[in-house]
């Protein structure tokens, strides 16, 4: 090769490399996220985007993530989005601008957050969907959560057990039940409902359970879940929906309420007390006396919030599905640590599809807390034992009832 040909070849190679680089970066901000991921190192900044401070669990989740990530040698920056999808998108943009090399997102709205994580991905960030899956985008690397259907399974089994549905419960006369699902923008909500509905539906088919509002019938399917969802998991919204149910119920007895979250349960209880002050947690519903109109229904919940502990302690709520979120923060930290060590983290579950991609998934196990535990159930004090709340907080929780 003479010198002229050699120089021409060098120019062509440089031009091609420049062109390819330009093509790579042209995807920035678009929905196809082909940019290369940073090589994550210990000492890098990890951005954490949590949905709201208003719910107890996300404060604990956030504090745990900061604690464990720092312990593992990362820097952290955390933001709370006040339950606003647009706030969360700008939080994520800010975290990336602040230099975050990975972002951990518990989405307010799993679909609305897509473009923000796509931008993060286009900058080379690792994206972890935390507790709630981020939908319809390929810009999610990993998903960590608790076994979703288990929530509904535990709740439904408590109802089945307390109403004696495997025995005579509802066989002479159907028992009235109200059913609620979580927020319509949260991909977790239909899975929680599926876990419960798969178990409860047979009792609608046998005629032992009935929804007097007429919304849920024996032909209801999991796909219909949005008809009973409570937007933004909001307590006041739940109370309004329960008000409508109570109007339909009239003076009839109420056996149970399937609620997917402690704050929804509290909204439900307030509505019951307004509509039917005769009903009292001091008279628990007894399937062998199904006509007792003053009996208090079996009400489920999730998250082990302080209000949940109080309501269970004083008999207003039957159980709560408690997630030891320290384990979720530890799992998230271990995934990022493995990536920083050049290892490939190994999921413990089947990948979950978000509409665009099969996302590598880890599922952890929740616990059911009740006042008098049987079998695998745990007592209320378990939250102190695992460090979710302090002993002092527990004493406050059990000091006085909210609902009498
Ligand atoms: C979480 C639940 C929580 C609910 C309301 C869901 O996405 O998985 O643990 O109860 O949001 O905050």
């Amino acid at each position: 090769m003479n010198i002229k040909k050699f120089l021409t070849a060098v120019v062509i190679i440089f031009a091609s490399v420049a062109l390819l680089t330009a093509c790579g970066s042209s995807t920035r901000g678009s929905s196809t996220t082909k940019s290369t991921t940073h090589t994550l190192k210990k000492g890098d900044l990890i951005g954490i985007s949590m949905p709201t401070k208003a719910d107890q669990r996300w404060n604990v989740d956030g504090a745990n993530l900061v604690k464990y990530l720092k312990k593992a040698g990362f820097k952290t920056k955390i933001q709370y989005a006040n339950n606003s999808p647009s706030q969360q998108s700008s939080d994520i943009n800010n975290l990336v601008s602040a230099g975050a090399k990975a972002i951990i997102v518990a989405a307010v709205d799993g679909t609305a957050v897509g473009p923000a994580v796509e931008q993060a991905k286009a900058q080379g960030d690792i994206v972890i969907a935390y507790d709630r899956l981020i939908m319809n985008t390929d810009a999610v690397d990993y998903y960590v959560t608790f076994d979703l259907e288990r929530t509904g399974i535990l709740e439904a089994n408590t109802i089945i057990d307390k109403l004696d549905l495997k025995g005579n419960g509802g066989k002479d006369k159907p028992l009235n039940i109200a059913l609620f699902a979580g927020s319509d923008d949260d991909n977790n909500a239909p899975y929680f409902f599926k876990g419960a509905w798969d178990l409860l539906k047979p009792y609608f088919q046998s005629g032992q359970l009935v929804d007097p509002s007429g919304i849920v019938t024996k032909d209801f399917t999991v796909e219909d879940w949005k008809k009973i969802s409570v937007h933004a998991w909001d307590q006041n919204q739940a109370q309004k929906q329960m008000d409508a149910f109570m109007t339909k119920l009239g003076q009839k007895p109420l056996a149970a309420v399937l609620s997917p979250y402690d704050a929804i349960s509290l909204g439900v209880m307030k509505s019951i007390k307004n509509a039917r002050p005769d009903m009292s947690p001091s008279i628990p519903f007894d399937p062998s006396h199904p006509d007792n109109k003053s009996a208090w229904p079996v009400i489920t919940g999730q998250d082990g919030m302080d209000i949940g502990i109080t309501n269970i302690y004083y008999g207003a709520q039957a159980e709560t599905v408690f997630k030891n979120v320290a384990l979720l923060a530890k799992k998230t930290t271990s995934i990022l640590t493995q990536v920083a060590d050049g290892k490939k983290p190994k999921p413990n579950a089947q990948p979950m599809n978000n509409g665009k991609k099969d996302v590598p998934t880890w599922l952890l196990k929740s616990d059911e807390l009740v006042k008098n535990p049987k079998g695998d159930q745990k007592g209320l004090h378990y939250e102190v034992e695992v460090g979710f709340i302090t002993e002092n907080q527990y004493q406050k929780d059990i000091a006085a009832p909210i609902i009498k």
Side-chain angles (χ1 to χ4, degrees), residues 51-52 55 57-58 61 83 107 130-133 143 145-146 148 151 182-183 186-189 192 232-233 260-264 301-303 305 321 323 325:
T52 172
D55 287 0
R57 73 157 283 188
W58 305 116
D61 283 272
N83 255 342
Y130 182 89
D131 195 84
R132 299 171 172 172
L133 189 53
Y143 178 38
T145 194
F146 285 84
L148 297 168
T151 293
S183 189
D186 187 337
N187 183 62
N188 289 354
F192 297 154
W233 303 90
Y261 171 49
D262 294 345
I264 292 180
Q302 175 169 224
D303 273 3
M305 293 171 81
V321 179
K323 294 162 162 179
V325 293

Side-chain angles (χ1 to χ4, degrees), residues 55 155 178-184 186 189 192 225 228-243 257-272 299-303 305 307-308 311 317 403:
D55 287 0
E155 291 165 349
L179 295 100
F180 291 89
S183 189
D184 49 352
D186 187 337
F192 297 154
W225 71 279
I228 53 167
S229 68
V230 178
H231 182 66
W233 303 90
D234 182 61
Q235 180 181 319
N236 296 328
Q237 176 58 29
Q239 186 168 342
K240 275 190 209 139
Q241 289 173 221
M242 190 65 184
D243 287 347
V257 181
L258 174 76
S259 161
Y261 171 49
D262 294 345
I264 292 180
S265 318
L266 185 57
V268 160
M269 291 172 201
K270 289 189 169 169
S271 169
I272 295 174
I299 303 176
T300 62
Q302 175 169 224
D303 273 3
M305 293 171 81
I307 51 167
N311 285 329
Q317 190 171 317
I403 302 286

Side-chain angles (χ1 to χ4, degrees), residues 90-133:
S90 59
D91 286 352
I92 292 169
N93 292 340
N94 291 340
L95 291 167
V96 175
S97 309
K101 298 289 185 285
I103 49 163
I104 299 165
V105 181
V108 174
D109 177 324
T111 304
V113 79
V117 295
E118 279 160 12
Q119 281 180 34
K121 194 84 202 120
Q123 303 290 329
D125 273 47
I126 295 166
V127 176
I128 300 189
Y130 182 89
D131 195 84
R132 299 171 172 172
L133 189 53

Side-chain angles (χ1 to χ4, degrees), residues 313-329:
Y313 189 83
Y314 288 100
Q317 190 171 317
E319 59 92 71
T320 187
V321 179
F322 170 67
K323 294 162 162 179
N324 182 2
V325 293
L327 303 178
L328 202 59

